[in-house]
Each structure stands twice: as structure tokens, then as C-alpha cells.
Amino acid sequence: MLAALLRQNPHVFASMSGPVGGMVGTLVDHMGDSNEFSSFIKDEHRHRVLRGIFDNYYSEDCPEIIFDTNRAWCARMPLLQTIFPGSKVIACVRDTSWVVDSIERLVRKNSMTPSSIFNYQAGGTVYSRAETVAGPSGMLGYAYNALKEAFYSECAEHLMLVQYETLTSEPQTVLNAIYEFIHEPAFKHDSENLEFNADEFDRKAGMPGLHAVRRRVMPNNRQSILPPDIFNKFSNDAFWKDPECNTHGVRII
């Protein structure tokens, strides 16, 4: 939703999660000591190679402001600051219970299509699916742990959190705050006419609708389909809502 809004600005590139984060991680691994030729690879080589991924993936035809979307960036804040000093990370947050609820809704909606989220394995129960997505290596659990790492790190000044509730109720307020955070001029966005399409990716992932965005930005109040014990299991996970936890003064919108 945020990407669909940001891309209305002709100076901005924003999309769903892309491959750059994975390529960076793979190259960091392969340029380490597990590589028999690592004695030839110096830090200046690593810097040029990693920076080159961004420079080459985003061609000269791309807008000048790039929002590269990947759940891994919060776990690579020091690396980002080395490659792009002063770079910013915008993390979208929502109560964990409602994220799990959204995923479960998609699973049930696509009950005849196994999903990549669960290694294309059908079956299981709402309990095993919740455990999988919220586990340390799960789609949600990994992102949550990476966010906490960034939130409490020495790089926290380069992090801003955007709450789902604020985005859906006050989208322009959120966008103005983002532009201020990245030191760019504000842009008037149209929250009544969003356009975003990742149907091919979602179909291949076995989860049609995973990246579907409604045309109009608005709150979506609903009843959870999760059993109460699962929903309540994550009720205390929203650490960003506790001011005492914000020891580094991370900006939260």
C-alpha cells in the first residue's frame, strides 16, 4: 500500500519486495572466508561489488529516489550505512495478530493452491501455519526479529516506523513525514486511486492476492478468523507502542 502511494511521485521508485537484498546477502556470504580466493578480496572490493549491485540493478532510467523493499534491510543496517552513509529505512509495522490473520485469510481463500510461504506443502492447521510464519525463520518472524535488531541498534537514528493504522487513516500525514525524514520535498498523493499489480508473482507463489491493494486507502475494521488463543498469543508483541522501549528515540508515525 505504501509503495503504491509512493510510486505516484514521478521522482520515486517503489515496488513490492525485490531481489536486491537477497543478492547482497548471497555475495556477502561468497566473499567471506568460505571462498577459497577470499585472501584476494579486500574490503574495498566488497564495497565496490555490493554498491555495484544497486548501481546496476537500478539503471539510469530509474527515478532518483529508490525505495528498495526487502525484509532483510533491518538486519543489515550497519552494512547499509557502509555502502550508503546516511541512508534511511522505513519499516511498516502492524500488530502481529492481524498480520497472521491476514495470511490465514489468504490461505483459506486459496485453499486449492499450495503456497510458497509453506514450501508449497498443503495441509496443516491454523496453529501450524501461525507457528511457521511467526517462527524465527518465517516470513513474519524473521522480519519482526530484524526490526527489533534495528530498533535497538546503534543505527536506530536511520530508522522510522510507519504504523498500519496511521497509514490507512492519515496517508498524507505519513507521506509528509517520510519525505521530511529522507530530506525530500513533499508531494501531494491521491489516496483515492491506488494502482498496484503483482498478480504474476502472487500466482507463482501460490498465493493470489498476496500483494493486492485496494483502490482507496481506508481503515479495514474486521473480526479476526483466528482462534482466540492464537490471536492473544501475539497481543504483547507491538513493542513500538511502549514509549519506554524506544530508548533510541526512533520516529514512529
Side-chain angles (χ1 to χ4, degrees):
M1 185 189 302
L2 181 56
L5 283 164
L6 286 167
R7 64 196 297 163
Q8 292 177 345
N9 185 336
H11 300 287
V12 166
F13 172 89
S15 187
M16 57 166 284
S17 188
V20 173
M23 290 190 287
V24 167
T26 298
L27 275 172
V28 168
D29 290 342
H30 283 286
M31 290 190 291
D33 286 340
S34 62
N35 186 330
E36 64 177 312
F37 300 106
S38 62
S39 58
F40 299 105
I41 305 174
K42 309 302 181 185
D43 279 350
E44 54 265 32
H45 299 136
R46 295 183 176 93
H47 188 282
R48 288 199 299 270
V49 169
L50 296 176
R51 174 63 187 256
I53 295 175
F54 294 88
D55 292 342
N56 289 289
Y57 184 83
Y58 294 108
S59 68
E60 295 178 355
D61 297 330
C62 279
E64 58 266 36
I65 305 170
I66 305 294
F67 287 87
D68 184 273
T69 313
N70 193 288
R71 292 186 294 275
W73 293 132
C74 279
R76 298 190 180 277
M77 295 284 280
L79 177 64
L80 278 180
Q81 292 307 312
T82 299
I83 304 173
F84 297 102
S87 58
K88 309 290 186 179
V89 172
I90 314 295
C92 297
V93 296
R94 189 181 189 184
D95 284 358
T96 304
S97 299
W98 287 112
V99 179
V100 175
D101 180 271
S102 293
I103 295 171
E104 180 62 22
R105 285 174 184 271
L106 283 171
V107 170
R108 298 184 187 186
K109 184 178 179 180
N110 300 291
S111 58
M112 293 188 292
T113 310
S115 169
S116 63
I117 297 175
F118 306 103
N119 295 318
Y120 297 103
Q121 298 296 312
T125 68
V126 63
Y127 290 89
S128 61
R129 289 190 291 271
E131 183 177 347
T132 297
V133 297
S137 59
M139 181 178 74
L140 170 61
Y142 173 82
Y144 178 82
N145 290 339
L147 173 65
K148 291 185 77 172
E149 176 180 332
F151 192 81
Y152 293 107
S153 76
E154 69 282 8
C155 299
E157 64 181 297
H158 302 289
L159 175 69
M160 185 173 84
L161 271 55
V162 171
Q163 298 183 95
Y164 177 82
E165 295 79 10
T166 313
L167 179 60
T168 54
S169 61
E170 303 176 60
Q172 191 62 52
T173 297
V174 168
L175 291 158
N176 290 342
I178 289 175
Y179 286 125
E180 180 185 354
F181 187 60
I182 65 173
H183 308 298
E184 292 291 338
F187 181 86
K188 179 62 176 177
H189 291 263
D190 184 0
S191 59
E192 301 287 326
N193 292 286
L194 297 193
E195 293 183 7
F196 194 88
N197 189 322
D199 292 348
E200 183 179 353
F201 179 93
D202 293 353
R203 179 193 57 77
K204 186 176 180 181
M207 192 65 79
L210 179 62
H211 291 94
V213 175
R214 288 174 296 168
R215 190 168 186 83
R216 181 187 178 195
V217 179
M218 59 184 295
N220 181 23
N221 299 317
R222 65 176 191 248
Q223 186 78 24
S224 174
I225 63 171
L226 298 177
D229 53 338
I230 295 182
F231 191 89
N232 294 332
K233 178 180 180 180
F234 306 108
S235 60
N236 296 318
D237 282 0
F239 60 89
W240 57 86
K241 292 183 177 181
D242 184 354
E244 293 186 3
C245 291
N246 196 358
T247 54
H248 291 291
V250 174
R251 186 168 185 183
I252 304 172
I253 305 301

